Amino acid sequence: MARHMLLQFPLLVLAGTALASSLPPRVCAACATINAHGLAGLLLCLLVSGFWMIPRALDQALLSPQMEFAKFATLLAAGGALQLSWRGAGTMIQTFFIGNWAWMTAVAGLLYQDVTARLCNAYLLDEQVVAGRGLVVLAVVMPTVLVGLLMMRGGLAANPDAPMTAD
């Protein structure tokens, strides 16, 4: 289960970002018309990642070739949407997106750890706990990396042109 959620899913999203970076400019421009400030693409990423954290969806992906195909297609699409949306989103929307993704991932991870019954029929309880721990770690690491990148970029520095206000 941990390999499924913590290795395969991120690799599929990364593959989707690579595919989207090779799209012709005409296609990217068409996508930009419905993706103002990257909101539609980032919402798609949140919805796809949220769906694949549902235990029933994981079970169905292992049992049904159609759901397995859907898993690959949606995760690749989420990666593509992420690639096409990230730069246009700006720092505030990027931070909001990562924060929402992190809390959703952390909650799913905590549930996987704390529930004493198997949530996925295809995985054992100990695999569920390991996947839950991994999700919580991922939910902490990703925002930490984002904050580090923003600090290196100067995105968290105070605006020197902003008026000073007394608190």
Side-chain angles (χ1 to χ4, degrees):
M1 185 174 191
R3 280 181 280 168
H4 200 173
M5 296 183 80
L6 301 171
L7 184 64
Q8 186 185 45
F9 289 4
L11 289 176
L12 286 169
V13 170
L14 283 173
T17 62
L19 288 171
S21 65
S22 65
L23 289 173
R26 183 186 67 211
V27 174
C28 294
C31 291
T33 61
I34 61 167
N35 196 19
H37 303 290
L39 292 174
L42 294 178
L43 176 62
L44 175 69
C45 291
L46 285 175
L47 292 173
V48 167
S49 62
F51 177 79
W52 289 111
M53 289 182 200
I54 298 171
R56 178 84 170 136
L58 292 175
D59 279 342
Q60 287 301 308
L62 294 173
L63 298 173
S64 163
Q66 293 87 357
M67 280 297 282
E68 181 75 3
F69 176 78
K71 177 184 73 175
F72 276 82
T74 57
L75 289 169
L76 287 169
L82 185 63
Q83 172 69 24
L84 296 172
S85 303
W86 191 254
R87 284 196 181 104
T91 304
M92 293 301 290
I93 295 172
Q94 292 170 356
T95 306
F96 182 79
F97 167 75
I98 288 291
N100 277 290
W101 176 85
W103 77 257
M104 178 177 63
T105 303
V107 167
L110 291 171
L111 288 173
Y112 279 147
Q113 289 178 67
D114 291 339
V115 174
T116 57
R118 284 177 38 193
L119 297 175
C120 291
N121 292 328
Y123 297 107
L124 298 175
L125 187 58
D126 61 333
E127 293 175 292
Q128 178 178 300
V129 171
V130 170
R133 288 179 184 152
L135 287 172
V136 170
V137 167
L138 197 59
V140 171
V141 168
M142 287 299 289
T144 304
V145 168
L146 176 67
V147 168
L149 290 172
L150 288 173
M151 287 175 58
M152 288 181 1
R153 236 178 38 189
L156 295 180
N159 183 357
D161 298 328
M164 299 290 277
T165 58
D167 289 344

